[in-house]
Amino acid sequence: MRPAIPTSAQAPWPHELFSAAIDGATARLRSHLLARVGPDGAVRDTCRSRILESVLALNLLERTDSQPERRARLTGYLRAQTTTDPLARILVDLALTRAAVDPPAGLAEAFVAQAPSFTGARKHAMLDAIFALYGLMPRRPLDPAAFDLAGLHCWARVQVTAVKIVLADATGRRDRINDDDVRTLLETQRQSDIWENNVLLHLWSLHALHRLPGTESVVAEGIAKAVAHQQEDGGMPFVGDADIWCTANAGVALAITGAPRDVLHRIAAHLLSQQQPDGGWSYTDLAHQTDVDDTSVVVQFLDILDTGRYREAIRRGEQSMLAVRNPDGGFPTYIAGAASEACMTAAVVDALTTRWQRHRDVIVSGLEFLAGQQCEDGSFPPAWSSSRLHAVFRALLAATRNPRHQPAYLQQMIKRIMTLVLDGQNPDGGWGQQSGEPSDAISTAYALIALCCQDDPGPAVRAAAYLLTCQREDGGIDSISDSVGPRPVRFTVPVLADIFPLLALGHLAHRIAKPAA
């Protein structure tokens, strides 16, 4: 995430090419984000309501004939939704009318195609389970691969188990449910709040447990925990928050745009307090499952701020990431043995490039894996963003850190990336999440970071101008969200719309020549 260091062949871009308002806009955005840093150093924001969890919650409350006031608010939220997403629209209609209308042909396939291929069976099963809540039976036989727990991290194990129980009950195959399944779900209900801060997993667990005998009190207590997360608009969120992800990325963005050092060290102190025993970080301070995505960004932030001061935390973070490396040279998101992913590999490799000689073999094999994952159009397989430019900019940064290591395969990967980015700019100067889609600030920020790795300032001038049109009077940025989970369902944490544009403007500032005094 740190800015690329221009090579000796790359002349700084003339400051006068860019809007005279860019420095002031960057300062206003930085101040706006600094105001979000709490006394404890965290950058906090709640996850907003989403249709999926709201539908699951309403169905559960109706099945248990509980919480009538909460049900009314959920119904109000769903009635207010004007989404054009085909799946979301069907879920809203099912929840409000309970009319058992089969989803159109191809809907499930289109949904699953947006997620990594190795998750396909699980995604189909999840959709089948949602429709089963409304009496719609699966069109296809249940795929045993959808319920295979091998190589799954704890969140996926819980969701797979809950979906399995819902479908087993719906299809009259309760013989598929075993004692381990029940224990797995009951274990998630022992906390005073929802397990791992994940509302979706909590709701799925309650739907499954509701179908088992002797769970009435557990389900009732679980419902009380769930409705405590109901938002002001009446809906339910995917997770409570993603505060470590927000804090780590905000730390990098603030550090490279000249934020006060005392604030940056306060952010670092908070992140250090949240480092898990395995050396990694989770997405929130209310969860324990670590991942290489959050960990890689925290490591980069600590490196930018003060490598010496935070040496031990950095070392432990690196070891946490290295511990999940696969034989193919790639990295999964969560645990060793899970499928390697291009974007996660780019994230880890980029974090390790600060100590290139120490990690040379890991970096080189990671870059080889990354190049092998690239699609013909220059993009990469779906990851944790609905914007294809997220994986693109991270891969480009990882690939360009060492000008002395530029084998032919890496040069080809970089060329494809730059072609995709340059060809994808819209007439308004911005980029959409996918080719042909309307521009948004977050996708444009990702593209602008990539543009800082090439020579022509023209596209960056237009990209920066577009970002300025997205800035509000309070200094913040308006954008649609690109965060997805479970993939490919989008969720929204609004502060991320401030963080990534500031990160991009920081990259740009390092590419532009300082104005004459």
Side-chain angles (χ1 to χ4, degrees):
M1 297 289 202
R2 66 194 186 280
I5 300 174
T7 67
S8 57
Q10 287 180 320
W13 289 335
H15 190 274
E16 58 269 20
L17 292 178
F18 293 83
S19 168
I22 193 167
D23 292 340
T26 301
R28 288 169 53 224
L29 180 54
R30 181 180 61 238
S31 296
H32 180 77
L33 187 56
L34 278 169
R36 301 297 301 266
V37 180
D40 64 349
V43 176
R44 301 189 184 280
D45 199 4
T46 56
C47 183
R48 298 307 191 254
S49 297
R50 192 167 69 172
I51 287 172
L52 174 57
E53 289 74 17
S54 302
V55 168
L56 290 177
L58 180 58
N59 186 279
L60 179 65
L61 298 185
E62 289 173 342
R63 286 177 176 274
T64 56
D65 192 24
S66 60
Q67 305 279 349
E69 188 271 336
R70 301 282 190 173
R71 285 180 357 226
R73 291 177 58 201
L74 282 163
T75 299
Y77 166 78
L78 292 171
R79 283 178 176 157
Q81 300 311 298
T82 57
T83 179
T84 58
D85 177 79
L87 176 60
R89 189 69 259 163
I90 287 174
L91 294 182
V92 170
D93 291 344
L94 281 173
L96 295 179
T97 68
R98 300 191 70 85
V101 178
D102 284 339
L107 178 71
E109 289 72 19
F111 173 81
V112 172
Q114 299 174 66
S117 58
F118 63 85
T119 68
R122 301 203 305 270
K123 302 304 177 186
H124 275 293
M126 182 182 76
L127 287 181
D128 286 342
I130 293 170
F131 292 126
L133 298 179
Y134 292 95
L136 300 171
M137 292 300 100
R139 292 176 172 177
R140 65 187 70 80
L142 300 184
D143 184 352
F147 312 112
D148 184 1
L149 300 180
L152 298 185
H153 61 287
C154 64
W155 302 338
R157 292 174 71 89
V158 167
Q159 178 162 310
V160 164
T161 301
V163 165
K164 170 186 167 183
I165 291 176
V166 169
L167 288 174
D169 179 68
T171 58
R173 292 299 309 274
R174 293 174 67 91
D175 56 294
R176 291 173 175 253
I177 305 170
N178 59 52
D179 290 344
D180 286 341
D181 296 333
V182 179
R183 279 193 291 268
T184 293
L185 298 188
L186 287 175
E187 197 61 35
T188 68
Q189 301 302 306
R190 301 188 187 282
Q191 291 75 28
S192 58
D193 199 351
I194 58 172
W195 180 71
E196 292 287 286
N197 200 33
N198 194 312
V199 177
L200 175 61
L201 293 183
H202 185 70
L203 290 169
W204 271 125
S205 297
L206 295 179
H207 269 288
L209 290 170
H210 173 62
R211 286 157 172 76
L212 303 177
T215 61
E216 292 81 5
S217 63
V218 173
V219 172
E221 291 174 8
I223 287 174
K225 296 175 193 176
V227 298
H229 289 265
Q230 191 170 27
Q231 306 286 295
E232 289 186 9
D233 61 8
M236 299 290 289
F238 163 44
V239 292
D241 61 71
D243 287 348
I244 290 179
W245 178 245
C246 294
T247 302
N249 282 285
V252 175
L254 291 168
I256 68 173
T257 54
R261 301 282 292 180
D262 62 319
V263 177
L264 298 176
H265 284 296
R266 193 194 324 154
I267 292 173
H270 173 71
L271 291 171
L272 260 62
S273 74
Q274 300 304 316
Q275 192 168 23
Q276 297 292 331
D278 69 358
W281 280 266
S282 187
Y283 77 102
T284 171
D285 49 11
L286 297 175
H288 297 92
Q289 174 64 61
T290 58
D291 62 83
V292 301
D293 206 2
D294 288 273
T295 300
S296 67
V297 180
V298 175
V299 166
Q300 289 222 37
F301 169 60
L302 297 177
D303 257 328
I304 294 168
L305 184 55
D306 193 331
T307 299
R309 180 169 175 173
Y310 300 112
R311 188 179 310 279
E312 179 59 16
I314 291 169
R315 183 195 67 78
R316 292 180 58 216
E318 288 182 340
Q319 290 303 310
S320 171
M321 294 186 291
L322 292 170
V324 303
R325 178 174 176 248
N326 283 328
D328 60 9
F331 289 80
T333 304
Y334 298 105
I335 62 172
S340 297
E341 301 190 48
C343 188
M344 297 300 94
T345 300
V348 175
V349 168
D350 195 35
L352 296 178
T353 54
T354 303
R355 284 160 287 280
W356 181 281
Q357 290 305 318
R358 181 185 304 172
H359 300 299
R360 186 185 189 284
D361 291 346
V362 174
I363 293 169
V364 170
S365 63
L367 291 173
E368 291 172 350
F369 171 82
L370 195 55
Q373 290 288 299
Q374 190 177 35
C375 304
E376 286 294 326
D377 67 354
S379 66
F380 294 89
W384 296 101
S385 167
S386 54
S387 175
R388 62 180 180 166
L389 295 163
H390 180 82
V392 160
F393 95 80
R394 296 180 86 170
L396 183 62
L397 288 178
T400 55
R401 292 299 186 191
N402 187 350
R404 294 184 300 278
H405 181 79
Q406 293 294 305
Y409 76 85
L410 212 52
Q411 293 180 42
Q412 182 186 45
M413 184 179 85
I414 293 168
K415 182 179 179 180
R416 283 177 172 173
I417 287 175
M418 291 315 311
T419 299
L420 179 147
V421 173
L422 292 169
D423 289 351
Q425 191 167 27
N426 289 330
D428 61 7
W431 280 258
Q433 295 190 346
Q434 302 295 327
S435 177
E437 293 186 359
S439 299
D440 68 90
I442 291 178
S443 295
T444 301
Y446 297 154
L448 179 54
I449 293 172
L451 291 174
C452 291
C453 296
Q454 54 87 54
D455 295 327
D456 183 7
V461 171
R462 297 192 295 276
Y466 172 80
L467 282 181
L468 298 193
T469 68
C470 300
Q471 189 168 36
R472 302 187 303 270
E473 289 188 5
D474 65 1
I477 299 289
D478 288 324
S479 181
I480 62 171
S481 174
D482 72 311
S483 303
V484 293
R487 296 179 282 192
V489 189
R490 192 183 303 170
F491 68 95
T492 300
V493 179
V495 73
L496 292 170
D498 300 324
I499 292 170
F500 290 117
L502 183 62
L503 180 69
L505 292 171
H507 277 252
L508 180 62
H510 283 76
R511 193 68 176 81
I512 298 175
K514 301 299 180 186

